[in-house]
């Protein structure tokens, strides 16, 4: 990875996999037990301990984790849930699957997390919950969000899919809401291939999620007794074993990502037309992506294309959910309703980012960015 020649494309993201990961998966395959086994249980136990929560339920994607949480909290058609638009579509889709109405909330201009003032403004008698997103791995304003939720009797879902290992005032994310969802797609801080996990301190939410992930079966029931509507959202044994193996090295992954982010910060600090991601005091960012913000008036998409032509991929990240074509079809034209989100989303640029990006590669990325801007 570190020996890329200058004409080779730098990957936008890359999982760190080693022989211990390979061995963990091989052991499962050799055992012949590929589903519903001890590796799933071990992964859940290790993740619950890592996040400092009572329960963890492994599932086959972050989206599945969010969907089950929405159902377990009893959210249904007619309910409104406050959700940022500056997020990945899955945060919103988990609500739409259940006919819940997403009410889009602005992001604040520093960390791009939920704007708590706008959150409170958008509460109506139908509001039942808040879908919080810890954007790019930066913890949301948890004190503010919890105060609003308490004052208005709202449930909290934490879409912490991008923030495994992040800390808010010294405490790991996962247990700040009624339940949280992490995701393990290969661009994440650690991977299981596809995969996700629900974390919660609520016994009932855990019981319901576990049952729904496994076709609605009960704890003790017979294989063909389905107590409730369920899904097949189970995580297989190979993925679980890979997850446990990756989790053992997660802290080193996070340290390496922090070092890469610092390397980027140093390289761009004197450039007047681009700003580095902001990390607020008291927060431990778990670097998912490295997203810079271009100065107002710059043509981000043109910059992106010029970088791409130079073998350096970059992504406009996020594209606000409230302006997506399918939302327009379902909810009408909402463009112009979230000016801060819309303005920020036109200026944000995700640069190549993974554990083992070297200083030389960081330099090559920023050199390509400078050339593109020129
Ligand atoms: C904020 C957020 N929510 C949800 C998801 C969905 O996770 P998955 O792709 O595992 O379904 C992602 C994945 O990128 C995400 O970034």
């Amino acid at each position: 990875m570190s020996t890329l020649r200058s004409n080779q494309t730098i990957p936008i993201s890359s999982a760190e996999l080693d022989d211990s990961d390979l061995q963990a998966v091989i052991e499962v395959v050799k055992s012949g037990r590929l589903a519903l086994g001890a590796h799933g249980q071990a992964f859940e136990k290790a993740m619950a301990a890592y996040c400092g929560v009572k329960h963890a339920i492994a599932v086959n994607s972050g989206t599945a984790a969010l969907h089950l949480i929405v159902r377990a909290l009893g959210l249904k058609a007619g309910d409104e849930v406050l959700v940022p638009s500056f997020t990945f579509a899955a945060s919103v889709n988990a609500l739409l699957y259940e006919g819940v109405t997403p009410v889009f909330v602005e992001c604040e201009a520093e960390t791009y997390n939920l704007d708590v003032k706008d959150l409170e403004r958008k509460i109506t008698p139908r509001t039942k919950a808040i879908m919080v997103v810890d954007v790019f791995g930066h913890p949301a304003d948890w004190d503010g969000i919890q105060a609003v939720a308490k004052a208005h009797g709202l449930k909290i879902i934490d879409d912490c899919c991008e923030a495994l290992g992040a800390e808010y005032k010294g405490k790991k994310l996962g247990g700040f809401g009624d339940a949280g969802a992490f995701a393990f797609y290969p661009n994440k801080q650690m991977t299981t291939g596809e995969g996700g996990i629900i974390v919660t301190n609520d016994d009932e939410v855990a019981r319901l999620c576990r049952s729904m992930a496994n076709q609605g079966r009960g704890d003790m029931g017979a294989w063909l007794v389905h107590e409730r509507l369920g899904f097949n959202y189970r995580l297989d044994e190979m993925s679980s074993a890979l997850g446990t193996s990756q989790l053992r090295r997660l802290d080193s992954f996070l340290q390496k990502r922090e070092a890469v982010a610092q390397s980027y910060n140093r390289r761009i600090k004197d450039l007047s037309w681009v700003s580095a991601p902001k990390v607020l005091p008291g927060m431990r960012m778990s670097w998912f992506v490295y997203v810079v913000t271009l100065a107002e008036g710059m043509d981000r998409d043109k910059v992106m294309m010029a970088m791409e032509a130079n073998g350096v991929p970059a992504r406009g990240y996020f594209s606000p959910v409230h302006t997506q074509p399918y939302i327009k079809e379902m909810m009408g034209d909402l463009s112009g309703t979230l000016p801060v989100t819309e303005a920020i989303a036109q200026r944000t640029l995700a640069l190549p980012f993974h554990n083992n990006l070297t200083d030389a590669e960081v330099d090559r990325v920023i050199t390509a960015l400078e050339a593109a801007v020129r």
Side-chain angles (χ1 to χ4, degrees):
M1 239 174 297
S2 57
T3 55
L4 278 172
R5 289 192 310 276
S6 64
N7 61 345
Q8 282 182 307
T9 301
I10 296 178
I12 189 89
S13 69
S14 175
E16 183 174 324
L17 298 159
D18 72 4
D19 282 348
S20 69
D21 296 321
L22 184 63
Q23 208 48 46
V25 176
I26 288 173
E27 294 298 322
V28 176
V29 175
K30 276 188 181 161
S31 79
R33 177 143 191 181
L34 308 186
L36 283 169
H39 292 282
Q41 288 166 11
F43 181 46
E44 290 176 343
K45 205 170 154 201
M47 280 297 302
Y50 182 82
C51 298
V53 296
K54 212 166 153 190
H55 306 280
I57 301 101
V59 290
N60 50 25
S61 72
T63 308
L66 290 170
H67 184 201
L68 293 189
I69 295 169
V70 168
R71 286 182 62 86
L73 293 180
L75 300 167
K76 56 188 183 316
D79 295 341
E80 289 178 0
V81 172
L82 302 162
V83 60
S85 174
F86 197 71
T87 183
F88 186 62
S91 321
V92 176
N93 294 350
L95 304 170
L96 294 174
Y97 297 154
E98 294 303 314
V100 173
T101 305
V103 174
F104 294 106
V105 178
E106 277 283 30
C107 64
E108 45 85 6
E110 271 197 308
T111 64
Y112 308 150
N113 272 316
L114 263 181
D115 176 339
V116 175
K117 284 202 191 78
D118 195 46
L119 185 73
E120 196 150 29
R121 268 197 294 273
K122 290 192 169 145
I123 293 173
T124 76
R126 287 167 60 197
T127 310
K128 292 288 170 357
I130 308 169
M131 173 78 78
V132 180
V133 181
D134 306 282
V135 173
F136 304 152
H138 190 295
D141 174 1
W142 280 103
D143 285 345
I145 289 163
Q146 286 179 333
V148 171
K150 197 166 172 209
H152 298 272
L154 306 177
K155 301 271 187 204
I156 302 178
I157 302 170
D158 187 10
D159 179 347
C160 36
C161 283
E162 300 190 348
L164 183 62
E167 292 174 19
Y168 181 83
K169 297 187 177 175
K171 194 177 157 203
K172 283 219 167 60
L173 295 191
F176 282 90
D178 291 275
F182 291 107
F184 305 121
Y185 184 75
N187 66 349
K188 295 291 186 300
Q189 289 88 334
M190 60 163 263
T191 189
T192 59
E194 297 285 357
I197 206 158
I198 296 153
V199 288
T200 182
N201 287 310
D202 185 315
D203 297 346
E204 183 62 5
V205 167
R207 191 179 71 82
L208 290 172
C209 287
R210 192 173 292 290
S211 167
M212 287 188 288
N214 185 20
Q215 304 281 19
R217 294 182 175 103
D219 298 337
M220 303 293 182
W223 186 245
L224 289 177
V225 176
H226 304 272
E227 292 179 2
R228 59 186 57 77
L229 177 65
F231 306 83
N232 181 357
Y233 282 169
R234 298 183 304 255
L235 189 69
D236 65 71
E237 286 285 278
M238 288 78 72
S239 303
S240 298
L242 178 57
T244 304
S245 176
Q246 287 262 299
L247 184 56
R248 285 194 196 107
R249 307 201 304 290
L250 178 62
D251 284 334
S252 87
F253 293 173
L254 297 184
Q255 278 165 22
K256 288 178 176 189
R257 296 172 89 86
E258 172 70 37
V260 174
Q262 293 305 335
S263 173
Y264 266 127
N265 287 347
R266 281 192 301 276
R267 182 64 179 77
I268 67 171
K269 75 176 187 323
D270 296 327
L271 305 178
S272 60
W273 42 266
V274 62
S275 43
K278 177 121 190 174
V279 183
L280 297 183
M283 305 295 146
R284 181 187 186 198
M285 174 107 177
S286 166
W287 292 91
F288 164 48
V289 279
Y290 187 85
V291 176
V292 295
T293 308
L294 299 180
E296 263 174 73
M298 288 174 73
D299 188 337
R300 190 266 322 268
D301 293 349
K302 243 184 179 167
V303 169
M304 213 158 67
M305 280 185 315
M307 290 180 75
E308 199 85 51
N310 227 336
V312 176
R315 302 273 180 275
Y317 205 61
F318 292 114
S319 185
V321 182
H322 76 286
T323 59
Q324 297 288 336
Y326 77 108
I327 294 292
K328 189 172 177 183
E329 209 174 298
M330 292 175 88
M331 302 180 72
D333 188 358
L334 300 177
S335 54
T337 57
L338 298 174
V340 178
T341 299
E342 288 167 43
I344 283 168
Q346 282 176 11
R347 295 163 49 206
T348 40
L349 190 64
L351 302 178
F353 190 72
H354 59 79
N355 298 3
N356 295 300
L357 204 69
T358 63
D359 285 350
E361 287 165 340
V362 164
D363 185 59
R364 202 183 128 204
V365 172
I366 301 302
T367 303
L369 175 61
E370 288 169 320
V373 168
R374 269 199 303 275

